[in-house]
């Protein structure tokens, strides 16, 4: 396995091509999530995604795939959008901005195809993902789905219910354009903070401490759902020096929405 080396500038981000590269995505998926085979997205689905207007974007060192972003087209209230189902970066290449670069490539391709919205779900207990989604990409979240996938075989889930937040990435919104194209972080009045302790990762991984993780999940589920029902939106995320995280909720001053009767 290659290491990051002198820099990530030698990493190419491009559309995956051909069966071998799609098979490499399936293998990397297994490596990153350590799913049982029954939970893996199979090769055929990656093929289908490419054929129906989805995206399979890879990060490559030479010919070696070290990350990918996978999305499929969806429709809500008569509007087409992209649902990004997976973002993965090989462990030894993380925290070098590759996850962000893969998402930016998704955005560029989505704009070229005429989309305004990319959505994906993320675990509200994952501090790193929340920071990447809300602060570095400018996504927002205002929908909470309880036990979204049912049981997951991935150890990353720690046996907890698969609660998920829906990230909405309005790729042409003022918020996203200012952040990504002018480096201006969005300004908003913080009405509520909802906290995630840094120990969440060790608690999820430990049989003894897992009830503490479950308690945080339950508390935050209630708080986030109550806040969303009052029209609050998670617009920011804060990390402190001890790596604790906190959702920052406020009212969004833009009105991007594909209104829907769906609750998830
Ligand atoms: C999520 C994932 C794709 C991110 O890839 P990556 O290449 O590490 O992402 P980036 O380097 O672009 O961004 C990570 C950010 O999180 C920050 N971060 C790293 N560890 C962190 C932690 N423990 N807590 C909070 N933030 C953290 C990094 O500093 C970076 O932020 P910065 O750009 O402000 O410095 C990767 O971690 C992964 O494959 N995870 C497992 C699968 C997964 O959870 N996928 C997403 C859901 S589908």
């Amino acid at each position: 396995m290659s290491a990051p080396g002198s820099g990530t500038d030698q990493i190419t981000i491009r559309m995956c091509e051909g069966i071998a590269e799609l098979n490499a995505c399936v293998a990397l998926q297994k490596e990153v999530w350590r799913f049982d085979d029954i939970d893996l997205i199979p090769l055929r689905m990656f093929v289908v995604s490419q054929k129906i207007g989805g995206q399979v974007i890879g990060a490559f060192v030479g010919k070696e795939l070290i990350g990918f972003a996978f999305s499929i087209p969806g429709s809500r209230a008569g509007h087409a959008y992209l649902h990004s189902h997976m973002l993965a970066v090989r462990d030894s290449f993380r925290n070098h901005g590759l996850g962000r670069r893969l998402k930016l490539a998704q955005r560029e391709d989505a704009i070229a195809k005429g989309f305004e919205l990319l959505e994906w779900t993320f675990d509200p207990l994952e501090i790193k993902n929340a920071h990447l989604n809300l602060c570095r990409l400018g996504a927002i979240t205002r929908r909470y789905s309880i036990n979204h996938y049912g049981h997951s075989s991935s150890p990353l889930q720690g046996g907890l219910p698969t609660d998920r937040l829906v990230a909405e990435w309005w790729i042409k919104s003022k918020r996203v354009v200012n952040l990504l194209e002018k480096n201006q972080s969005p300004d908003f009045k913080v009405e509520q903070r909802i906290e995630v302790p840094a120990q969440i990762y060790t608690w999820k991984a430990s049989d003894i401490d897992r009830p503490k993780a479950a308690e945080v999940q339950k508390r935050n589920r209630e708080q986030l759902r109550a806040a969303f029902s009052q029209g609050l939106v998670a617009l920011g995320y804060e990390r402190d020096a001890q790596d604790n995280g906190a959702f920052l909720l406020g009212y969004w001053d833009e009105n991007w929405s594909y209104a829907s009767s769906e609750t998830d």
Side-chain angles (χ1 to χ4, degrees):
M1 186 193 298
S2 315
S6 55
T8 49
D9 49 340
Q10 284 155 18
I11 293 170
T12 311
I13 309 278
R14 61 166 174 80
M15 290 294 168
C16 290
E17 288 164 12
I19 297 294
E21 290 187 358
L22 298 184
N23 259 325
C25 291
V26 178
L28 188 55
Q29 174 196 177
K30 193 168 169 66
E31 175 186 319
V32 166
W33 277 276
R34 289 173 281 150
F35 284 132
D36 292 345
D37 284 356
I38 188 88
D39 283 345
L40 284 174
I41 302 287
L43 171 70
R44 281 163 184 254
M45 198 58 216
F46 284 87
V47 174
V48 167
S49 157
Q50 285 186 326
K51 305 272 185 216
I52 62 168
Q55 301 169 315
V56 188
I57 300 175
F60 294 88
V61 180
K63 291 187 171 172
E64 182 191 0
L65 182 91
I66 48 110
F68 72 88
F70 166 70
S71 65
I72 48 177
S75 156
R76 177 168 299 109
H79 300 275
Y81 70 100
L82 284 168
H83 177 82
S84 176
H85 187 57
M86 287 187 151
L87 174 70
V89 171
R90 176 166 285 158
D91 203 12
S92 53
F93 287 87
R94 290 187 192 158
N95 299 325
H96 288 78
L98 268 186
R100 186 164 179 273
R101 280 177 64 191
L102 281 161
K103 296 303 290 185
L104 296 183
Q106 277 190 320
R107 175 175 183 255
E108 197 180 324
D109 178 66
I111 289 175
K113 286 176 173 158
F115 291 104
E116 298 172 321
L117 173 65
L118 266 139
E119 283 190 357
W120 58 93
T121 62
F122 68 102
D123 185 337
L125 300 180
E126 288 285 333
I127 295 170
K128 174 179 173 173
N129 296 10
H131 165 77
L132 175 62
N133 293 337
L134 301 181
C135 299
R136 302 288 282 141
L137 298 173
I140 62 151
T141 179
R142 52 189 164 183
R143 284 144 66 200
Y144 194 105
S145 176
I146 298 172
N147 202 21
H148 191 71
Y149 298 112
H151 174 76
S152 169
S153 60
S154 171
L156 303 188
Q157 192 62 39
L160 295 184
T162 49
D163 284 20
R164 293 291 183 268
L165 285 165
V166 181
E168 298 174 32
W169 201 23
W170 292 97
I171 53 183
K172 294 179 183 168
S173 66
K174 185 162 56 80
R175 170 185 167 86
V176 171
V177 170
N178 284 348
L179 178 67
L180 300 183
E181 297 173 18
K182 300 179 195 162
N183 207 18
Q184 285 170 7
S185 291
D187 192 23
F188 62 95
K189 181 167 176 276
V190 178
E191 303 282 348
Q192 191 178 347
R193 292 168 55 89
I194 296 179
E195 298 182 358
V196 184
Q199 298 90 330
I200 197 75
Y201 297 104
T202 46
W203 289 348
K204 271 204 290 186
S206 145
D207 288 343
I208 295 170
D209 288 328
R210 192 159 303 126
K212 291 186 196 163
E215 191 50 44
V216 175
Q217 185 186 58
K218 187 165 168 285
R219 183 196 70 203
N220 285 7
R221 175 194 291 162
E222 284 161 12
Q223 291 186 358
L224 284 163
R225 281 165 55 84
F228 295 161
S229 71
Q230 291 160 24
L232 286 169
V233 178
L235 295 169
Y237 202 80
E238 209 170 68
R239 292 171 305 166
D240 66 18
Q242 285 75 42
D243 282 338
N244 298 301
F247 289 97
L248 306 180
L249 293 109
Y251 295 100
W252 196 24
D253 60 1
E254 295 183 74
N255 58 2
W256 293 88
S257 169
Y258 291 162
S260 161
S261 57
E262 293 169 38
T263 52
D264 60 348

